[in-house]
Amino acid sequence: MPTYKLIYFNARGYGELARLLFAVAGVPYEDIRVERASWPNEYKAICPFGQMPLLEVDGKILAQSSAIARYLAMEFGMAGKDNWEQARIDMVVDSFGDILQDMRVPYLETDPEKKVQGADGFPGWGWRSGSDHRITLQEALVKQFVGESLPKRLGYLENILKENGGGQGFIVGDSLTWADLGVANSVDYLKLMCPNPFENFPLLAGLVQRVREIPQVAAWIAKRPETAT
């Protein structure tokens, strides 16, 4: 069996999907958690793209979180049963990449002086309390993500899940894949901006519950280090 090391910050973030794959497969690995202050000196030099996570397999380095998860899924039998299922899995996973891109938009705007009227350009979003009835552009963009972009993208995924046997099983095929783990893992980061992201998407909520009730997943969630993200 190969010797695996997963190298990432002491956070869930972009490393957690790989950890879930290891947990479900029951494959041992070294979970190396790097402090942010020390990683530039300790690991940045071996990062092909200057960022983590990294997966080390018998001394060889693989970077990029999706590539790592896809590789582990293929190794552990969770990457789909044929090329079509593999492509559908990639489609679902890539859709979460779109959601993450949308999530980043508000935080690219950090100027507190840029404000917009609550009803100008963002109808129905209400007003800020107090004497200043304007909200910052960042606040407006967060509201736009939570109220428009996220529900739209989750609606697409709800339909994809429903098309696969009515949505009571897995999002692709008839067995657990890394796409299902990705959906379940998404809850952690979506909650940073939306307390109950799947509230209006019962099939997705059911899938998350089923995945998190898998004994290996439940055991990992119970024992993993407590981190903010």
Side-chain angles (χ1 to χ4, degrees):
M1 179 181 292
T3 298
Y4 296 104
K5 296 180 182 180
L6 182 68
I7 306 166
Y8 191 58
F9 300 112
N10 185 28
R12 295 187 296 274
Y14 288 101
E16 196 65 11
L17 182 51
R19 296 182 184 123
L20 287 168
L21 283 158
F22 278 118
V24 172
V27 172
Y29 70 106
E30 187 175 354
D31 187 11
I32 299 174
R33 293 174 179 254
V34 183
E35 295 301 321
R36 293 185 183 274
S38 61
W39 92 271
N41 295 326
E42 293 184 16
Y43 290 101
K44 192 170 184 178
I46 66 169
C47 296
F49 301 101
Q51 60 192 24
M52 298 194 292
L54 299 175
L55 179 68
E56 184 178 310
V57 185
D58 290 338
K60 297 177 290 186
I61 293 292
L62 183 65
Q64 298 291 0
S65 57
S66 289
I68 290 169
R70 185 179 294 108
Y71 170 77
L72 292 175
M74 290 189 293
E75 291 291 290
F76 302 157
M78 288 181 273
K81 296 177 180 177
D82 53 34
N83 289 343
W84 179 251
E85 285 193 7
Q86 290 171 9
R88 295 283 292 184
I89 290 166
D90 285 344
M91 176 183 76
V92 170
V93 173
D94 286 351
S95 75
F96 278 98
D98 293 336
I99 290 173
L100 282 173
Q101 284 292 104
D102 291 346
M103 284 184 71
R104 292 190 187 100
V105 171
Y107 298 101
L108 298 175
E109 181 51 67
T110 58
D111 186 351
E113 299 304 316
K114 289 185 179 179
K115 296 184 178 182
V116 294
Q117 291 288 354
D120 290 345
F122 303 97
W125 288 0
W127 301 89
R128 196 184 218 182
S129 60
S131 59
D132 187 350
H133 293 294
R134 297 177 299 166
I135 58 176
T136 67
L137 181 55
Q138 185 183 81
E139 289 173 320
L141 291 170
V142 168
K143 288 178 179 289
Q144 187 177 51
F145 171 75
V146 172
E148 298 178 14
S149 173
L150 181 60
K152 179 180 72 173
R153 294 196 184 279
L154 291 181
Y156 296 152
L157 288 166
E158 181 91 346
N159 291 336
I160 290 167
L161 178 55
K162 185 176 182 179
E163 289 168 0
N164 191 35
Q168 301 304 312
F170 304 98
I171 200 162
V172 175
D174 58 4
S175 60
L176 182 75
T177 70
W178 68 292
D180 301 300
L181 292 172
V183 173
N185 184 53
S186 72
V187 173
D188 289 335
Y189 58 80
L190 292 178
K191 281 185 176 180
L192 296 173
M193 294 177 70
C194 183
N196 191 357
F198 295 145
E199 181 178 14
N200 297 316
F201 304 97
L203 297 181
L204 288 172
L207 175 61
V208 170
Q209 181 176 348
R210 290 193 296 277
V211 171
R212 292 195 165 211
E213 288 176 350
I214 294 171
Q216 301 96 314
V217 173
W220 168 248
I221 290 174
K223 75 176 185 180
R224 67 186 177 186
E226 288 288 338
T227 58
T229 59

